[in-house]
């Protein structure tokens, strides 16, 4: 099992991570995911989504892994 949220690659791993840190509210889960992805900006074209819709959109983005590319570039730029 991954030690950090950033290491998670599947929904099951993300769910297990949140169970181990005892975070079950959608707002907290969403905040954790956003922080793990370095707080990207999201545009909600559906208007005002529910907390569940926000969480699912952000989780889908997280699981896509595309944010990792930007994270890697940022690390290279900072010499890490």
């Amino acid at each position: 099992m991954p030690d950090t949220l950033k290491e998670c690659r599947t929904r099951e791993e993300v769910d297990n991570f949140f169970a181990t840190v005892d975070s079950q509210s959608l707002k907290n889960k969403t905040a954790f995911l956003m922080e793990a992805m370095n707080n990207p900006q999201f545009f909600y074209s559906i208007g005002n989504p529910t907390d569940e819709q926000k969480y699912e959109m952000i989780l889908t983005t997280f699981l896509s892994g595309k944010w990792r590319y930007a994270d890697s570039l940022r690390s290279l730029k900072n010499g890490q």
Side-chain angles (χ1 to χ4, degrees), residues 39-66:
N39 294 304
Q41 293 185 2
F42 275 82
F43 173 72
Y44 301 108
S45 62
I46 61 171
N48 191 16
T50 65
D51 288 344
E52 186 172 349
Q53 289 170 324
K54 284 180 187 177
Y55 174 74
E56 288 299 324
M57 287 187 290
I58 291 168
L59 178 60
T60 299
T61 301
F62 178 84
L63 293 175
S64 78
K66 293 176 183 175

Side-chain angles (χ1 to χ4, degrees), residues 8-77:
C8 294
R9 299 286 193 260
T10 67
R11 180 181 284 265
E12 182 180 6
E13 289 176 344
V14 171
D15 290 342
N16 288 338
F17 173 83
F18 285 133
T20 62
V21 297
D22 197 27
S23 181
Q24 298 305 315
S25 82
L26 290 175
K27 287 188 180 197
N28 285 346
K29 290 179 181 182
T30 299
F32 269 111
L33 290 169
M34 292 293 288
E35 180 69 26
M37 294 187 291
N38 294 310
N39 294 304
Q41 293 185 2
F42 275 82
F43 173 72
Y44 301 108
S45 62
I46 61 171
N48 191 16
T50 65
D51 288 344
E52 186 172 349
Q53 289 170 324
K54 284 180 187 177
Y55 174 74
E56 288 299 324
M57 287 187 290
I58 291 168
L59 178 60
T60 299
T61 301
F62 178 84
L63 293 175
S64 78
K66 293 176 183 175
W67 61 273
R68 286 181 171 84
Y69 177 72
D71 200 37
S72 295
L73 290 178
R74 191 174 3 267
S75 293
L76 287 173
K77 181 179 177 184

